[in-house]
């Protein structure tokens, strides 16, 4: 049923904060190393890989010894500035272990909505991929704001990853989170909750099943993931939502294993 995933050439990987930061607030260095290994191997196979990474505030909190996420916007932006530098340092070190070059791309929503800058972003990403460099994308949290007349925030990196998938005409978005996929109810509360293997349409009923946000270190929740899936379906692309605890799961997803929830239009599903 998922045989077509193996042929995906351009793939966007979105990694959530919960996969980068342990519940105690420390950085999951093992997980980041595994992610670098997997994405480098995919690039070695000839696939074009784009990484959309959360984690700037979580890493910044760890660096500054903060137990709770700051409340004020200036504090959050300052923590993100500290964390983004350290996060990219870690990524650079781990990817270089496998001789894979990376590049940092920080975006705000107004950039991708303004035609000229949107074209520049697309050209930059296409050029990086042509040079066999993995772009690592995050929202520019230090300057992004959300006001009535000046909205520059994407909302969260779930939305950003879906927008990047659209911008680059990627074949597939793999969204790695702290949950195994989309369930009929919260599996942490209801042990009878059923995992959806495939979703072809985001309905009001499905939205009603989605809960709130996850950890204190991240901003995205299941609602944001379904909204991202809406964008993917509208672009006639595909998305897999899966648990990112072990990044090697990406190999299994691309092999067609029934892992996580596949979001795709009805006609995009292959039998096999």
């Amino acid at each position: 049923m998922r045989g077509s995933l193996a042929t995906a050439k351009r793939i966007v990987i979105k990694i959530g904060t919960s996969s980068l930061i342990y519940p105690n607030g420390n950085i999951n260095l093992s997980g980041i190393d595994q992610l670098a290994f997997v994405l480098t191997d995919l690039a070695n196979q000839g696939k074009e890989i784009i990484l959309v990474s959360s984690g700037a505030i979580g890493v910044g909190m760890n660096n500054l010894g903060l137990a709770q996420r700051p409340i004020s916007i200036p504090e959050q932006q300052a923590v993100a500035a500290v964390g983004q530098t350290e996060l990219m340092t870690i990524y650079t070190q781990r990817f270089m272990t496998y001789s894979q070059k990376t590049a940092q791309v920080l975006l705000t929503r107004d950039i991708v909505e303004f035609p000229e800058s949107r074209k520049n972003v697309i050209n930059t990403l296409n050029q990086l991929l042509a040079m066999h460099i993995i772009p690592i994308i995050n929202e520019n949290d230090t300057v992004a704001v959300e006001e009535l007349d000046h909205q520059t925030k994407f909302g969260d990196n779930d939305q950003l990853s879906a927008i990047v998938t659209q911008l680059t005409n990627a074949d597939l978005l793999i969204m790695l989170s702290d949950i195994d996929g989309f369930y009929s109810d919260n599996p942490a509360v209801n042990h009878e909750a059923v995992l959806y293997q495939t979703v072809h349409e985001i309905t009001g009923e499905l939205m009603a099943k989605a809960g709130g946000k996850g950890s204190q270190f991240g901003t995205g929740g299941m609602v944001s993931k379904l909204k991202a899936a809406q964008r993917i379906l509208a672009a006639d692309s595909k998305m897999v939502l899966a648990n990112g605890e072990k990044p090697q799961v990406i190999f299994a997803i691309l092999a067609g294993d029934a892992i996580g929830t596949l979001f795709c239009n009805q006609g995009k599903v292959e039998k096999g």
Side-chain angles (χ1 to χ4, degrees):
M1 187 176 185
R2 303 189 185 205
S4 62
L5 298 184
T7 64
K9 169 72 173 177
R10 181 169 291 188
I11 305 169
V12 177
I13 309 290
K14 188 269 179 176
I15 188 81
T17 300
S18 59
S19 300
L20 301 172
I21 305 292
Y22 288 118
N24 64 7
N26 290 326
I27 301 171
N28 184 350
L29 295 174
S30 174
I32 294 175
D33 184 73
Q34 291 173 39
L35 181 66
F37 169 80
V38 171
L39 299 193
T40 299
D41 190 73
L42 292 177
N44 288 345
Q45 294 175 33
K47 295 185 183 297
E48 297 176 331
I49 304 299
I50 299 171
L51 176 61
V52 176
S53 175
S54 299
I57 289 182
V59 172
M61 288 171 60
N62 174 264
N63 180 279
L64 297 171
L66 301 178
Q68 297 294 327
R69 184 186 180 97
I71 296 176
S72 75
I73 297 300
E75 285 178 306
Q76 290 182 25
Q77 291 174 321
V79 171
V82 172
Q84 186 63 35
T85 300
E86 183 169 350
L87 181 61
M88 280 306 302
T89 298
I90 295 171
Y91 273 134
T92 300
Q93 291 173 342
R94 299 327 302 158
F95 273 99
M96 283 305 297
T97 300
Y98 306 107
S99 301
Q100 175 60 56
K101 291 182 173 58
T102 59
Q104 176 179 256
V105 180
L106 296 178
L107 299 176
T108 51
R109 186 151 192 160
D110 54 345
I111 289 176
V112 300
E113 290 185 347
F114 185 69
E116 188 66 25
S117 57
R118 177 190 180 98
K119 183 177 72 173
N120 291 337
V121 168
I122 294 172
N123 290 342
T124 298
L125 293 175
N126 284 334
Q127 184 61 46
L128 288 170
L129 294 174
M131 296 168 67
H132 308 292
I133 297 170
I134 294 179
I136 300 179
I137 302 175
N138 197 357
E139 181 164 5
N140 193 349
D141 291 322
T142 59
V143 299
V145 296
E146 187 170 5
E147 299 174 353
L148 185 61
D149 59 344
H150 188 63
Q151 181 172 334
T152 64
K153 285 184 66 65
F154 291 97
D156 54 66
N157 277 349
D158 294 335
Q159 303 306 309
L160 174 57
S161 65
I163 291 171
V164 168
T165 303
Q166 291 176 310
L167 288 175
T168 59
N169 292 317
D171 304 306
L172 175 65
L173 167 60
I174 298 178
M175 188 174 292
L176 299 179
S177 185
D178 58 355
I179 192 167
D180 293 336
F182 180 64
Y183 284 84
S184 58
D185 198 0
N186 186 345
V189 177
N190 180 4
H191 297 297
E192 302 297 321
V194 176
L195 175 67
Y196 285 79
Q197 295 291 329
T198 308
V199 173
H200 300 302
E201 182 183 8
I202 308 301
T203 64
E205 180 183 358
L206 289 184
M207 279 292 188
K209 294 179 185 295
K213 78 170 188 176
S215 72
Q216 64 163 318
F217 304 106
T219 57
M222 192 54 65
V223 170
S224 73
K225 289 167 178 55
L226 291 186
K227 288 181 178 178
Q230 278 184 318
R231 286 184 176 273
I232 296 301
L233 295 178
D236 204 21
S237 188
K238 302 173 187 175
M239 169 179 144
V240 174
L241 172 63
N243 196 311
E245 181 180 2
K246 297 180 179 179
Q248 291 97 328
V249 73
I250 295 172
F251 289 139
I253 290 171
L254 293 177
D257 293 357
I259 293 173
T261 303
L262 169 64
F263 297 85
C264 65
N265 289 323
Q266 188 76 43
K268 289 289 181 177
V269 178
E270 291 185 358
K271 294 182 179 179

